[in-house]
Amino acid sequence: MRTRLALVLGSVSAALIALTLASPRVIAADKVDPAADAKAFQNFFFQKFPDVKREDFVNGPYSMNADMKRQWQEKEEFPPYEFALDAGKEMFATPFKNGKSYADCFPNGGIGIRQNYPYFDEKEGKVVTLELALNRCREANGEAPYSYVKDEMASLTAYMAFTSRGKPMDIRIPDDPRALAAFENGKRYFYTRRGQMNFSCASCHVQSPGERIRAEILAPALGIVNAMPIYRSEWSGMGTTSRRFVTCNSQTRAVPLEPQADEYRDVEYFLSYVANGLPISGPGARP
Amino acid sequence: MASSIRVRATSNGDITEVQALIQHPMDTGFVKDAKGELIPAHFIQELKFECNGKDVFVADWGTAVSKDPYVKFSFRGARKGDDLKISWTDNKGGSDTITAKIA
């Protein structure tokens, strides 16, 4: 008995010594390296789900469950986001009161550019999302901004995503310490536990994709932003990336932030960057 | 404004399969808005599909049908190229109609 205790104590102290020895090395590896993070993030999912085609991750829970996928493919012949898409197309083409239009605010007239958002604005020193850019465009032309969570904003982003379907996500992180800090901050937000349930974003979308949460199948975090905006049957309507973040927070009984708060913009930056190379599939449909 | 009705009708020679999606709030009258006021009932009462002058599908609906309803059914007796007329009327007197070619 005593010898066993000594052995256990011995191994604990050995472990402690090992920890103290290893800690300086951990700090040395703590440099922000988005490219390495993205590679590790993607490999984690590719290894966890070897049977899922890489470009299929952007289809969320449907990449995880054959039965749901079949139903979804049937639904895609008559997609529920079609009304929003048509409305968005019309809105995008309608000029503002001053005669200018959305096309004047965006590179390439706003067509086929969804994969470049969010981007880091070096003048402002912050991440700019597509939703934010759309509202800034409206305000610059004397129009009132739209709600960030649904309706018009979802219709507009649905149309812009649709014109970019199939293009690989292409997020750049400029060589600017503020951009790296934004990426790191988004990553931190994603992995930090919060709320009454003590869940982080990763608790569901990294640890448990494909598992059931009540009647739902959890989507993988990889490529989750590629399908935005989405028509969710649960909402019986469209929702933007902002809406997804807010509901995720409130469903885990955490206090949601304001749509387009800095942390949300950073987390979208992080999630989009680690999905680089995967195709845009928005607008999506989700249960 | 685009039509509130989306329809796709395909014939395999004998049977015509119809899918339709209708944009409508289908308010039950029991739901409150953000201000706590009841949203008055607003729902489709009759949905009708006509082909070659004959009714092929008539539905009397109430508040139990969900928002943006989707309908799928098949019928016999139509050919490719025939016209299929879809119309709905709601409890507030609103209506919409569209004619689609059977493909």
Side-chain angles (χ1 to χ4, degrees), chain A residues 114-145:
Chain A
R114 161 69 186 94
Q115 69 283 0
N116 304 324
Y117 285 81
Y119 71 94
F120 185 80
D121 187 295
E122 306 212 38
K123 275 205 283 293
E124 195 188 342
K126 284 189 175 184
V127 172
V128 176
T129 64
L130 186 60
E131 295 159 27
L132 196 65
L134 278 163
N135 261 350
R136 286 184 178 176
C137 174
R138 290 183 60 76
E139 286 174 306
N141 289 295
E143 305 277 341

PDB file of all heavy atoms in Angstrom, chain A residues 114-145:
ATOM      1  N   ARG A 114     -18.694  37.222 -52.873  1.00  0.00           N
ATOM      2  CA  ARG A 114     -19.028  36.790 -51.509  1.00  0.00           C
ATOM      3  C   ARG A 114     -17.836  36.107 -50.825  1.00  0.00           C
ATOM      4  O   ARG A 114     -17.643  36.258 -49.616  1.00  0.00           O
ATOM      5  CB  ARG A 114     -20.246  35.843 -51.582  1.00  0.00           C
ATOM      6  CG  ARG A 114     -20.483  34.938 -50.398  1.00  0.00           C
ATOM      7  CD  ARG A 114     -20.922  35.721 -49.170  1.00  0.00           C
ATOM      8  NE  ARG A 114     -21.003  34.873 -47.995  1.00  0.00           N
ATOM      9  CZ  ARG A 114     -20.022  34.728 -47.119  1.00  0.00           C
ATOM     10  NH1 ARG A 114     -18.863  35.318 -47.299  1.00  0.00           N
ATOM     11  NH2 ARG A 114     -20.188  33.968 -46.051  1.00  0.00           N
ATOM     12  N   GLN A 115     -17.042  35.373 -51.621  1.00  0.00           N
ATOM     13  CA  GLN A 115     -15.946  34.583 -51.036  1.00  0.00           C
ATOM     14  C   GLN A 115     -14.827  35.449 -50.465  1.00  0.00           C
ATOM     15  O   GLN A 115     -13.942  34.935 -49.788  1.00  0.00           O
ATOM     16  CB  GLN A 115     -15.383  33.605 -52.077  1.00  0.00           C
ATOM     17  CG  GLN A 115     -14.638  34.247 -53.231  1.00  0.00           C
ATOM     18  CD  GLN A 115     -15.573  34.870 -54.271  1.00  0.00           C
ATOM     19  OE1 GLN A 115     -16.783  34.846 -54.157  1.00  0.00           O
ATOM     20  NE2 GLN A 115     -14.975  35.442 -55.310  1.00  0.00           N
ATOM     21  N   ASN A 116     -14.855  36.762 -50.729  1.00  0.00           N
ATOM     22  CA  ASN A 116     -13.801  37.648 -50.208  1.00  0.00           C
ATOM     23  C   ASN A 116     -14.199  38.324 -48.901  1.00  0.00           C
ATOM     24  O   ASN A 116     -13.461  39.157 -48.383  1.00  0.00           O
ATOM     25  CB  ASN A 116     -13.457  38.714 -51.244  1.00  0.00           C
ATOM     26  CG  ASN A 116     -13.058  38.094 -52.564  1.00  0.00           C
ATOM     27  OD1 ASN A 116     -12.421  37.043 -52.589  1.00  0.00           O
ATOM     28  ND2 ASN A 116     -13.452  38.700 -53.663  1.00  0.00           N
ATOM     29  N   TYR A 117     -15.374  37.998 -48.377  1.00  0.00           N
ATOM     30  CA  TYR A 117     -15.866  38.640 -47.155  1.00  0.00           C
ATOM     31  C   TYR A 117     -15.937  37.640 -46.016  1.00  0.00           C
ATOM     32  O   TYR A 117     -16.284  36.491 -46.247  1.00  0.00           O
ATOM     33  CB  TYR A 117     -17.251  39.253 -47.414  1.00  0.00           C
ATOM     34  CG  TYR A 117     -17.167  40.514 -48.225  1.00  0.00           C
ATOM     35  CD1 TYR A 117     -17.035  40.431 -49.606  1.00  0.00           C
ATOM     36  CD2 TYR A 117     -17.187  41.754 -47.625  1.00  0.00           C
ATOM     37  CE1 TYR A 117     -16.936  41.589 -50.367  1.00  0.00           C
ATOM     38  CE2 TYR A 117     -17.093  42.916 -48.380  1.00  0.00           C
ATOM     39  CZ  TYR A 117     -16.971  42.830 -49.753  1.00  0.00           C
ATOM     40  OH  TYR A 117     -16.870  43.971 -50.491  1.00  0.00           O
ATOM     41  N   PRO A 118     -15.656  38.012 -44.778  1.00  0.00           N
ATOM     42  CA  PRO A 118     -15.236  39.330 -44.333  1.00  0.00           C
ATOM     43  C   PRO A 118     -13.763  39.609 -44.682  1.00  0.00           C
ATOM     44  O   PRO A 118     -12.980  38.681 -44.853  1.00  0.00           O
ATOM     45  CB  PRO A 118     -15.419  39.262 -42.818  1.00  0.00           C
ATOM     46  CG  PRO A 118     -15.310  37.828 -42.492  1.00  0.00           C
ATOM     47  CD  PRO A 118     -15.841  37.080 -43.672  1.00  0.00           C
ATOM     48  N   TYR A 119     -13.416  40.884 -44.798  1.00  0.00           N
ATOM     49  CA  TYR A 119     -12.022  41.236 -45.045  1.00  0.00           C
ATOM     50  C   TYR A 119     -11.556  42.182 -43.941  1.00  0.00           C
ATOM     51  O   TYR A 119     -12.368  42.750 -43.215  1.00  0.00           O
ATOM     52  CB  TYR A 119     -11.860  41.896 -46.424  1.00  0.00           C
ATOM     53  CG  TYR A 119     -12.437  43.293 -46.520  1.00  0.00           C
ATOM     54  CD1 TYR A 119     -11.630  44.414 -46.304  1.00  0.00           C
ATOM     55  CD2 TYR A 119     -13.781  43.499 -46.823  1.00  0.00           C
ATOM     56  CE1 TYR A 119     -12.158  45.693 -46.386  1.00  0.00           C
ATOM     57  CE2 TYR A 119     -14.317  44.779 -46.909  1.00  0.00           C
ATOM     58  CZ  TYR A 119     -13.497  45.870 -46.691  1.00  0.00           C
ATOM     59  OH  TYR A 119     -14.025  47.135 -46.762  1.00  0.00           O
ATOM     60  N   PHE A 120     -10.235  42.319 -43.808  1.00  0.00           N
ATOM     61  CA  PHE A 120      -9.702  43.223 -42.791  1.00  0.00           C
ATOM     62  C   PHE A 120      -9.454  44.581 -43.411  1.00  0.00           C
ATOM     63  O   PHE A 120      -8.708  44.694 -44.388  1.00  0.00           O
ATOM     64  CB  PHE A 120      -8.417  42.662 -42.179  1.00  0.00           C
ATOM     65  CG  PHE A 120      -7.908  43.499 -41.047  1.00  0.00           C
ATOM     66  CD1 PHE A 120      -8.468  43.375 -39.782  1.00  0.00           C
ATOM     67  CD2 PHE A 120      -6.904  44.450 -41.243  1.00  0.00           C
ATOM     68  CE1 PHE A 120      -8.026  44.169 -38.738  1.00  0.00           C
ATOM     69  CE2 PHE A 120      -6.457  45.240 -40.195  1.00  0.00           C
ATOM     70  CZ  PHE A 120      -7.024  45.098 -38.940  1.00  0.00           C
ATOM     71  N   ASP A 121     -10.091  45.603 -42.868  1.00  0.00           N
ATOM     72  CA  ASP A 121      -9.936  46.946 -43.403  1.00  0.00           C
ATOM     73  C   ASP A 121      -8.766  47.630 -42.695  1.00  0.00           C
ATOM     74  O   ASP A 121      -8.845  47.902 -41.499  1.00  0.00           O
ATOM     75  CB  ASP A 121     -11.232  47.733 -43.197  1.00  0.00           C
ATOM     76  CG  ASP A 121     -11.190  49.088 -43.874  1.00  0.00           C
ATOM     77  OD1 ASP A 121     -10.376  49.947 -43.463  1.00  0.00           O
ATOM     78  OD2 ASP A 121     -11.955  49.288 -44.828  1.00  0.00           O
ATOM     79  N   GLU A 122      -7.714  47.903 -43.445  1.00  0.00           N
ATOM     80  CA  GLU A 122      -6.497  48.433 -42.814  1.00  0.00           C
ATOM     81  C   GLU A 122      -6.658  49.885 -42.374  1.00  0.00           C
ATOM     82  O   GLU A 122      -5.978  50.343 -41.470  1.00  0.00           O
ATOM     83  CB  GLU A 122      -5.302  48.276 -43.762  1.00  0.00           C
ATOM     84  CG  GLU A 122      -5.166  46.827 -44.216  1.00  0.00           C
ATOM     85  CD  GLU A 122      -3.744  46.379 -44.468  1.00  0.00           C
ATOM     86  OE1 GLU A 122      -2.838  46.786 -43.720  1.00  0.00           O
ATOM     87  OE2 GLU A 122      -3.543  45.613 -45.428  1.00  0.00           O
ATOM     88  N   LYS A 123      -7.572  50.615 -43.035  1.00  0.00           N
ATOM     89  CA  LYS A 123      -7.799  52.016 -42.624  1.00  0.00           C
ATOM     90  C   LYS A 123      -8.485  52.050 -41.266  1.00  0.00           C
ATOM     91  O   LYS A 123      -8.100  52.778 -40.377  1.00  0.00           O
ATOM     92  CB  LYS A 123      -8.674  52.732 -43.657  1.00  0.00           C
ATOM     93  CG  LYS A 123      -7.872  53.297 -44.830  1.00  0.00           C
ATOM     94  CD  LYS A 123      -8.562  54.480 -45.499  1.00  0.00           C
ATOM     95  CE  LYS A 123      -9.708  54.051 -46.393  1.00  0.00           C
ATOM     96  NZ  LYS A 123      -9.322  53.291 -47.579  1.00  0.00           N
ATOM     97  N   GLU A 124      -9.530  51.191 -41.149  1.00  0.00           N
ATOM     98  CA  GLU A 124     -10.330  51.202 -39.929  1.00  0.00           C
ATOM     99  C   GLU A 124      -9.670  50.369 -38.829  1.00  0.00           C
ATOM    100  O   GLU A 124      -9.933  50.570 -37.644  1.00  0.00           O
ATOM    101  CB  GLU A 124     -11.707  50.626 -40.271  1.00  0.00           C
ATOM    102  CG  GLU A 124     -12.754  50.878 -39.235  1.00  0.00           C
ATOM    103  CD  GLU A 124     -14.040  50.115 -39.539  1.00  0.00           C
ATOM    104  OE1 GLU A 124     -14.229  49.681 -40.694  1.00  0.00           O
ATOM    105  OE2 GLU A 124     -14.834  49.946 -38.603  1.00  0.00           O
ATOM    106  N   GLY A 125      -8.847  49.398 -39.244  1.00  0.00           N
ATOM    107  CA  GLY A 125      -8.212  48.516 -38.276  1.00  0.00           C
ATOM    108  C   GLY A 125      -9.161  47.479 -37.728  1.00  0.00           C
ATOM    109  O   GLY A 125      -8.955  46.945 -36.640  1.00  0.00           O
ATOM    110  N   LYS A 126     -10.233  47.177 -38.511  1.00  0.00           N
ATOM    111  CA  LYS A 126     -11.221  46.204 -38.041  1.00  0.00           C
ATOM    112  C   LYS A 126     -11.675  45.306 -39.185  1.00  0.00           C
ATOM    113  O   LYS A 126     -11.429  45.595 -40.354  1.00  0.00           O
ATOM    114  CB  LYS A 126     -12.449  46.933 -37.482  1.00  0.00           C
ATOM    115  CG  LYS A 126     -12.217  47.521 -36.104  1.00  0.00           C
ATOM    116  CD  LYS A 126     -13.516  48.021 -35.534  1.00  0.00           C
ATOM    117  CE  LYS A 126     -13.309  48.496 -34.097  1.00  0.00           C
ATOM    118  NZ  LYS A 126     -14.564  48.903 -33.489  1.00  0.00           N
ATOM    119  N   VAL A 127     -12.364  44.237 -38.786  1.00  0.00           N
ATOM    120  CA  VAL A 127     -12.913  43.307 -39.767  1.00  0.00           C
ATOM    121  C   VAL A 127     -14.213  43.890 -40.321  1.00  0.00           C
ATOM    122  O   VAL A 127     -15.036  44.402 -39.565  1.00  0.00           O
ATOM    123  CB  VAL A 127     -13.186  41.945 -39.104  1.00  0.00           C
ATOM    124  CG1 VAL A 127     -13.933  41.018 -40.063  1.00  0.00           C
ATOM    125  CG2 VAL A 127     -11.883  41.306 -38.640  1.00  0.00           C
ATOM    126  N   VAL A 128     -14.385  43.830 -41.640  1.00  0.00           N
ATOM    127  CA  VAL A 128     -15.634  44.287 -42.267  1.00  0.00           C
ATOM    128  C   VAL A 128     -16.326  43.094 -42.919  1.00  0.00           C
ATOM    129  O   VAL A 128     -15.761  42.430 -43.783  1.00  0.00           O
ATOM    130  CB  VAL A 128     -15.358  45.394 -43.314  1.00  0.00           C
ATOM    131  CG1 VAL A 128     -16.652  45.782 -44.029  1.00  0.00           C
ATOM    132  CG2 VAL A 128     -14.742  46.613 -42.649  1.00  0.00           C
ATOM    133  N   THR A 129     -17.549  42.833 -42.454  1.00  0.00           N
ATOM    134  CA  THR A 129     -18.320  41.716 -42.999  1.00  0.00           C
ATOM    135  C   THR A 129     -19.160  42.210 -44.176  1.00  0.00           C
ATOM    136  O   THR A 129     -19.327  43.414 -44.370  1.00  0.00           O
ATOM    137  CB  THR A 129     -19.272  41.146 -41.937  1.00  0.00           C
ATOM    138  OG1 THR A 129     -20.222  42.163 -41.598  1.00  0.00           O
ATOM    139  CG2 THR A 129     -18.533  40.724 -40.686  1.00  0.00           C
ATOM    140  N   LEU A 130     -19.721  41.272 -44.919  1.00  0.00           N
ATOM    141  CA  LEU A 130     -20.559  41.639 -46.059  1.00  0.00           C
ATOM    142  C   LEU A 130     -21.798  42.411 -45.597  1.00  0.00           C
ATOM    143  O   LEU A 130     -22.199  43.395 -46.220  1.00  0.00           O
ATOM    144  CB  LEU A 130     -20.972  40.371 -46.821  1.00  0.00           C
ATOM    145  CG  LEU A 130     -21.728  40.593 -48.126  1.00  0.00           C
ATOM    146  CD1 LEU A 130     -20.906  41.391 -49.119  1.00  0.00           C
ATOM    147  CD2 LEU A 130     -22.143  39.261 -48.757  1.00  0.00           C
ATOM    148  N   GLU A 131     -22.387  41.956 -44.486  1.00  0.00           N
ATOM    149  CA  GLU A 131     -23.590  42.624 -43.978  1.00  0.00           C
ATOM    150  C   GLU A 131     -23.275  44.077 -43.611  1.00  0.00           C
ATOM    151  O   GLU A 131     -24.047  44.995 -43.925  1.00  0.00           O
ATOM    152  CB  GLU A 131     -24.128  41.874 -42.750  1.00  0.00           C
ATOM    153  CG  GLU A 131     -24.609  40.458 -43.082  1.00  0.00           C
ATOM    154  CD  GLU A 131     -24.663  39.544 -41.861  1.00  0.00           C
ATOM    155  OE1 GLU A 131     -24.839  40.052 -40.733  1.00  0.00           O
ATOM    156  OE2 GLU A 131     -24.519  38.323 -42.025  1.00  0.00           O
ATOM    157  N   LEU A 132     -22.141  44.265 -42.968  1.00  0.00           N
ATOM    158  CA  LEU A 132     -21.722  45.604 -42.560  1.00  0.00           C
ATOM    159  C   LEU A 132     -21.476  46.482 -43.787  1.00  0.00           C
ATOM    160  O   LEU A 132     -21.918  47.634 -43.849  1.00  0.00           O
ATOM    161  CB  LEU A 132     -20.436  45.487 -41.734  1.00  0.00           C
ATOM    162  CG  LEU A 132     -20.020  46.682 -40.904  1.00  0.00           C
ATOM    163  CD1 LEU A 132     -21.042  46.954 -39.810  1.00  0.00           C
ATOM    164  CD2 LEU A 132     -18.656  46.423 -40.263  1.00  0.00           C
ATOM    165  N   ALA A 133     -20.790  45.903 -44.782  1.00  0.00           N
ATOM    166  CA  ALA A 133     -20.489  46.658 -45.997  1.00  0.00           C
ATOM    167  C   ALA A 133     -21.779  47.071 -46.704  1.00  0.00           C
ATOM    168  O   ALA A 133     -21.873  48.172 -47.245  1.00  0.00           O
ATOM    169  CB  ALA A 133     -19.613  45.818 -46.925  1.00  0.00           C
ATOM    170  N   LEU A 134     -22.787  46.192 -46.684  1.00  0.00           N
ATOM    171  CA  LEU A 134     -24.057  46.523 -47.337  1.00  0.00           C
ATOM    172  C   LEU A 134     -24.745  47.696 -46.643  1.00  0.00           C
ATOM    173  O   LEU A 134     -25.234  48.619 -47.297  1.00  0.00           O
ATOM    174  CB  LEU A 134     -24.986  45.300 -47.334  1.00  0.00           C
ATOM    175  CG  LEU A 134     -24.724  44.289 -48.455  1.00  0.00           C
ATOM    176  CD1 LEU A 134     -25.368  42.946 -48.139  1.00  0.00           C
ATOM    177  CD2 LEU A 134     -25.249  44.813 -49.787  1.00  0.00           C
ATOM    178  N   ASN A 135     -24.774  47.658 -45.308  1.00  0.00           N
ATOM    179  CA  ASN A 135     -25.421  48.762 -44.593  1.00  0.00           C
ATOM    180  C   ASN A 135     -24.633  50.063 -44.728  1.00  0.00           C
ATOM    181  O   ASN A 135     -25.222  51.134 -44.819  1.00  0.00           O
ATOM    182  CB  ASN A 135     -25.618  48.407 -43.120  1.00  0.00           C
ATOM    183  CG  ASN A 135     -27.037  47.923 -42.855  1.00  0.00           C
ATOM    184  OD1 ASN A 135     -27.907  48.037 -43.725  1.00  0.00           O
ATOM    185  ND2 ASN A 135     -27.276  47.410 -41.667  1.00  0.00           N
ATOM    186  N   ARG A 136     -23.302  49.974 -44.760  1.00  0.00           N
ATOM    187  CA  ARG A 136     -22.502  51.185 -44.954  1.00  0.00           C
ATOM    188  C   ARG A 136     -22.769  51.778 -46.327  1.00  0.00           C
ATOM    189  O   ARG A 136     -22.814  52.995 -46.497  1.00  0.00           O
ATOM    190  CB  ARG A 136     -21.015  50.860 -44.798  1.00  0.00           C
ATOM    191  CG  ARG A 136     -20.668  50.650 -43.352  1.00  0.00           C
ATOM    192  CD  ARG A 136     -19.189  50.423 -43.156  1.00  0.00           C
ATOM    193  NE  ARG A 136     -18.889  50.276 -41.747  1.00  0.00           N
ATOM    194  CZ  ARG A 136     -17.671  49.980 -41.290  1.00  0.00           C
ATOM    195  NH1 ARG A 136     -16.674  49.804 -42.131  1.00  0.00           N
ATOM    196  NH2 ARG A 136     -17.468  49.862 -39.996  1.00  0.00           N
ATOM    197  N   CYS A 137     -22.946  50.896 -47.296  1.00  0.00           N
ATOM    198  CA  CYS A 137     -23.266  51.339 -48.649  1.00  0.00           C
ATOM    199  C   CYS A 137     -24.598  52.087 -48.645  1.00  0.00           C
ATOM    200  O   CYS A 137     -24.734  53.144 -49.250  1.00  0.00           O
ATOM    201  CB  CYS A 137     -23.330  50.120 -49.561  1.00  0.00           C
ATOM    202  SG  CYS A 137     -23.871  50.459 -51.230  1.00  0.00           S
ATOM    203  N   ARG A 138     -25.577  51.540 -47.923  1.00  0.00           N
ATOM    204  CA  ARG A 138     -26.886  52.200 -47.848  1.00  0.00           C
ATOM    205  C   ARG A 138     -26.766  53.566 -47.192  1.00  0.00           C
ATOM    206  O   ARG A 138     -27.312  54.545 -47.685  1.00  0.00           O
ATOM    207  CB  ARG A 138     -27.878  51.325 -47.056  1.00  0.00           C
ATOM    208  CG  ARG A 138     -28.282  50.058 -47.783  1.00  0.00           C
ATOM    209  CD  ARG A 138     -29.316  49.282 -46.979  1.00  0.00           C
ATOM    210  NE  ARG A 138     -30.526  50.059 -46.740  1.00  0.00           N
ATOM    211  CZ  ARG A 138     -31.464  50.281 -47.643  1.00  0.00           C
ATOM    212  NH1 ARG A 138     -31.331  49.787 -48.856  1.00  0.00           N
ATOM    213  NH2 ARG A 138     -32.524  50.992 -47.353  1.00  0.00           N
ATOM    214  N   GLU A 139     -26.039  53.606 -46.067  1.00  0.00           N
ATOM    215  CA  GLU A 139     -25.947  54.863 -45.328  1.00  0.00           C
ATOM    216  C   GLU A 139     -25.171  55.918 -46.127  1.00  0.00           C
ATOM    217  O   GLU A 139     -25.528  57.093 -46.101  1.00  0.00           O
ATOM    218  CB  GLU A 139     -25.310  54.626 -43.958  1.00  0.00           C
ATOM    219  CG  GLU A 139     -26.292  53.924 -43.011  1.00  0.00           C
ATOM    220  CD  GLU A 139     -25.677  53.526 -41.685  1.00  0.00           C
ATOM    221  OE1 GLU A 139     -24.635  52.822 -41.708  1.00  0.00           O
ATOM    222  OE2 GLU A 139     -26.226  53.896 -40.636  1.00  0.00           O
ATOM    223  N   ALA A 140     -24.136  55.475 -46.847  1.00  0.00           N
ATOM    224  CA  ALA A 140     -23.360  56.421 -47.653  1.00  0.00           C
ATOM    225  C   ALA A 140     -24.225  57.042 -48.744  1.00  0.00           C
ATOM    226  O   ALA A 140     -23.939  58.123 -49.240  1.00  0.00           O
ATOM    227  CB  ALA A 140     -22.163  55.708 -48.275  1.00  0.00           C
ATOM    228  N   ASN A 141     -25.283  56.332 -49.124  1.00  0.00           N
ATOM    229  CA  ASN A 141     -26.159  56.843 -50.173  1.00  0.00           C
ATOM    230  C   ASN A 141     -27.475  57.379 -49.619  1.00  0.00           C
ATOM    231  O   ASN A 141     -28.486  57.452 -50.333  1.00  0.00           O
ATOM    232  CB  ASN A 141     -26.411  55.756 -51.218  1.00  0.00           C
ATOM    233  CG  ASN A 141     -25.167  55.476 -52.046  1.00  0.00           C
ATOM    234  OD1 ASN A 141     -24.712  56.334 -52.783  1.00  0.00           O
ATOM    235  ND2 ASN A 141     -24.583  54.303 -51.888  1.00  0.00           N
ATOM    236  N   GLY A 142     -27.466  57.704 -48.321  1.00  0.00           N
ATOM    237  CA  GLY A 142     -28.616  58.377 -47.726  1.00  0.00           C
ATOM    238  C   GLY A 142     -29.818  57.484 -47.456  1.00  0.00           C
ATOM    239  O   GLY A 142     -30.927  57.979 -47.315  1.00  0.00           O
ATOM    240  N   GLU A 143     -29.578  56.157 -47.383  1.00  0.00           N
ATOM    241  CA  GLU A 143     -30.690  55.249 -47.079  1.00  0.00           C
ATOM    242  C   GLU A 143     -30.548  54.762 -45.640  1.00  0.00           C
ATOM    243  O   GLU A 143     -29.451  54.703 -45.098  1.00  0.00           O
ATOM    244  CB  GLU A 143     -30.665  54.030 -48.020  1.00  0.00           C
ATOM    245  CG  GLU A 143     -30.671  54.391 -49.495  1.00  0.00           C
ATOM    246  CD  GLU A 143     -32.073  54.665 -50.031  1.00  0.00           C
ATOM    247  OE1 GLU A 143     -33.056  54.243 -49.398  1.00  0.00           O
ATOM    248  OE2 GLU A 143     -32.176  55.319 -51.088  1.00  0.00           O
ATOM    249  N   ALA A 144     -31.689  54.379 -45.036  1.00  0.00           N
ATOM    250  CA  ALA A 144     -31.649  53.838 -43.669  1.00  0.00           C
ATOM    251  C   ALA A 144     -31.075  52.429 -43.698  1.00  0.00           C
ATOM    252  O   ALA A 144     -31.329  51.681 -44.636  1.00  0.00           O
ATOM    253  CB  ALA A 144     -33.061  53.814 -43.089  1.00  0.00           C
ATOM    254  N   PRO A 145     -30.275  52.075 -42.674  1.00  0.00           N
ATOM    255  CA  PRO A 145     -29.702  50.713 -42.655  1.00  0.00           C
ATOM    256  C   PRO A 145     -30.778  49.662 -42.400  1.00  0.00           C
ATOM    257  O   PRO A 145     -31.812  49.957 -41.815  1.00  0.00           O
ATOM    258  CB  PRO A 145     -28.699  50.760 -41.504  1.00  0.00           C
ATOM    259  CG  PRO A 145     -29.183  51.859 -40.607  1.00  0.00           C
ATOM    260  CD  PRO A 145     -29.856  52.859 -41.498  1.00  0.00           C
TER     261      PRO A 145
END
